Amino acid sequence: GADYGALVAVPWANTRLEFPHLDVSGSSGIGFSQLWVVPFSLGWHIKDPLPLAPGGADITFHYAFFPPTGRYTPGASNNTGLGMWCNELSARLTAYFDKDRNWHGSAALFYDINSKKKDVDWKQGNAINYMWGVGRNFGQPKTLLSGWVGLAGYAQWQVSSTTGVDAPEILQNHKSTVYGVGPELTALEGALTVRYFWQYGAKTATQGQGLYVQFAMPIGK
């Protein structure tokens, strides 16, 4: 009884590094980054009222992978890719807090399994990512002016150790953690998504701000 879906996301990245105390700086410029490929996604739609969710809920599971696309040279400061494969398993729940499904909240868990990096003895530790969001719909349903606005956030915890003689010692001895939160806007009947995140609480990881823009075009039904 599940719905089936698949997608490919084509990201572009621009990184800028400034570590004056280490005499390191650089900018990548905009470049092609790592593809996100979801060969299958399964979803169930629960229409009946649930506790705390009078409008029902949606549940999805997916398998995805990130191939090592994008520019990557070991030690370079202008990389736009990570130089490694990553397999991902995910589960997501969206609950609707009113019968008209205008108010909603979502939570998702992702488990990332990383491979060894290209051309170096460096295997990044696996990570658990938690994403959440709350928001409200606006506009008339199934029109280009419809969408939703709200607040979104995420947390990432490294759960296995980084290994390899080429991996920096600090990464081998410490697991990384980072959190983010910010506004989210989805418009054009769900085709366009824009998020802006402020990161905080980073340990053994960089900390800054991020802009995320996604345009998704459905093919068929």
Side-chain angles (χ1 to χ4, degrees), residues 5-11 32-41 63-67 69 212 214-219:
L7 68 87
V8 176
V10 183
F32 179 53
S33 187
Q34 294 208 190
L35 287 171
W36 182 47
V37 182
V38 183
F40 72 86
S41 175
Y63 162 72
F65 63 89
F66 298 82
T69 53
Y212 175 90
Q214 173 181 291
F215 183 79
M217 180 178 294
I219 301 176

Side-chain angles (χ1 to χ4, degrees), residues 6-194:
L7 68 87
V8 176
V10 183
W12 295 80
N14 181 4
T15 59
R16 181 177 297 276
L17 301 175
E18 294 291 345
F19 299 120
H21 293 292
L22 301 179
D23 194 26
V24 174
S25 65
S27 176
S28 69
I30 296 178
F32 179 53
S33 187
Q34 294 208 190
L35 287 171
W36 182 47
V37 182
V38 183
F40 72 86
S41 175
L42 300 177
W44 292 263
H45 306 285
I46 302 172
K47 302 294 185 180
D48 296 330
L50 298 172
L52 303 180
D58 297 325
I59 301 172
T60 61
F61 296 91
H62 83 221
Y63 162 72
F65 63 89
F66 298 82
T69 53
R71 183 172 59 246
Y72 178 78
T73 301
S77 61
N78 64 344
N79 292 325
T80 58
L82 299 176
M84 65 183 185
W85 286 86
C86 175
N87 291 285
E88 181 179 78
L89 300 173
S90 171
R92 182 189 302 266
L93 168 69
T94 299
Y96 300 94
F97 303 134
D98 64 314
K99 293 182 179 180
D100 294 329
R101 293 192 162 201
N102 286 322
W103 288 95
H104 43 77
S106 64
L109 278 176
F110 302 83
Y111 183 61
D112 293 334
I113 305 169
N114 297 317
S115 74
K116 183 180 175 181
K117 286 180 175 285
K118 182 178 66 175
D119 299 330
V120 291
D121 183 14
W122 178 347
K123 185 179 183 299
Q124 187 69 23
N126 299 336
I128 290 178
N129 299 279
Y130 169 66
M131 300 182 67
W132 61 268
V134 291
R136 191 187 192 286
N137 295 343
F138 63 83
Q140 294 297 321
K142 298 182 179 181
T143 67
L144 290 179
L145 297 179
S146 65
W148 62 84
V149 63
L151 189 68
Y154 68 89
Q156 182 182 76
W157 302 281
Q158 184 180 336
V159 295
S160 66
S161 298
T162 297
T163 59
V165 296
D166 294 320
E169 183 177 352
I170 189 173
L171 298 184
Q172 297 186 50
N173 295 331
H174 300 85
K175 295 182 175 69
S176 64
T177 301
V178 66
Y179 304 90
V181 66
E184 176 184 66
L185 171 67
T186 297
L188 302 180
E189 201 178 355
L192 176 66
T193 299
V194 180

